[in-house]
Amino acid sequence: QVQLVQSGGGSVQAGGSLRLSCAAPGYHMTSYCMGWFRQAPGKEREGVAFIDSRGRNTHYADSVKGRFTISQDNGKNTVALEMNSLKPEDTAVYYCAADIGVEDYCYRKWANSAFIYWAPGTQVNVSS
């Protein structure tokens, strides 16, 4: 059972930036495809950003393209989500999640928010 530990998040004004980080103590991030998801009140959970296990290929939800960046730091064994130009509609609980598999398989699971391992989530609030 992989346990994911999140850090970061909080509150910021529109236009500001926040960074989320995710670690899996005892496990190598390079063994897992990773994703960031979010869920706003009254809405379904959605995939925000995806990175494959090699850290080479990324995908983003259209709503965050050009503003959010997912990255893998193999030295620190972490995956981060850099969020810039934040908007009030980005307000949600953000989750880090992981799964195992080749890129296409993992991408389909990300697109369906169906990853196996999940962090508890952290709140991000963006005020106007």
Side-chain angles (χ1 to χ4, degrees), residues 60-78:
Y60 297 92
D62 288 343
S63 58
V64 306
K65 280 181 182 177
R67 300 188 297 122
F68 289 14
T69 302
I70 187 171
S71 61
Q72 186 180 74
D73 186 332
N74 294 335
K76 296 181 180 180
N77 201 35
T78 58

Side-chain angles (χ1 to χ4, degrees), residues 2-5 21-32 34 53 71-80 96:
V2 178
Q3 292 192 335
L4 300 175
V5 179
S21 185
C22 180
Y27 294 88
H28 291 291
M29 288 291 188
T30 54
S31 299
Y32 300 89
M34 302 295 298
S53 59
S71 61
Q72 186 180 74
D73 186 332
N74 294 335
K76 296 181 180 180
N77 201 35
T78 58
V79 172
C96 167

Side-chain angles (χ1 to χ4, degrees), residues 111-123:
N112 289 285
S113 298
F115 273 17
I116 294 176
Y117 306 110
W118 292 82
T122 187
Q123 181 71 44

Side-chain angles (χ1 to χ4, degrees), residues 76 87-89:
K76 296 181 180 180
K87 304 175 181 180
E89 51 264 43

Side-chain angles (χ1 to χ4, degrees), residues 33-37 44-50 59-61 99 103-115 118:
C33 51
M34 302 295 298
W36 288 96
F37 301 79
E44 292 187 355
R45 187 175 296 182
E46 62 171 346
V48 173
F50 165 91
H59 299 280
Y60 297 92
D99 209 311
E103 182 185 353
D104 288 347
Y105 169 80
C106 269
Y107 174 73
R108 288 195 298 271
K109 293 199 74 177
W110 171 80
N112 289 285
S113 298
F115 273 17
W118 292 82

Side-chain angles (χ1 to χ4, degrees), residues 38-46 89 91-93 95 123:
R38 68 185 180 187
Q39 187 166 19
K43 294 187 177 181
E44 292 187 355
R45 187 175 296 182
E46 62 171 346
E89 51 264 43
T91 294
V93 177
Y95 301 87
Q123 181 71 44

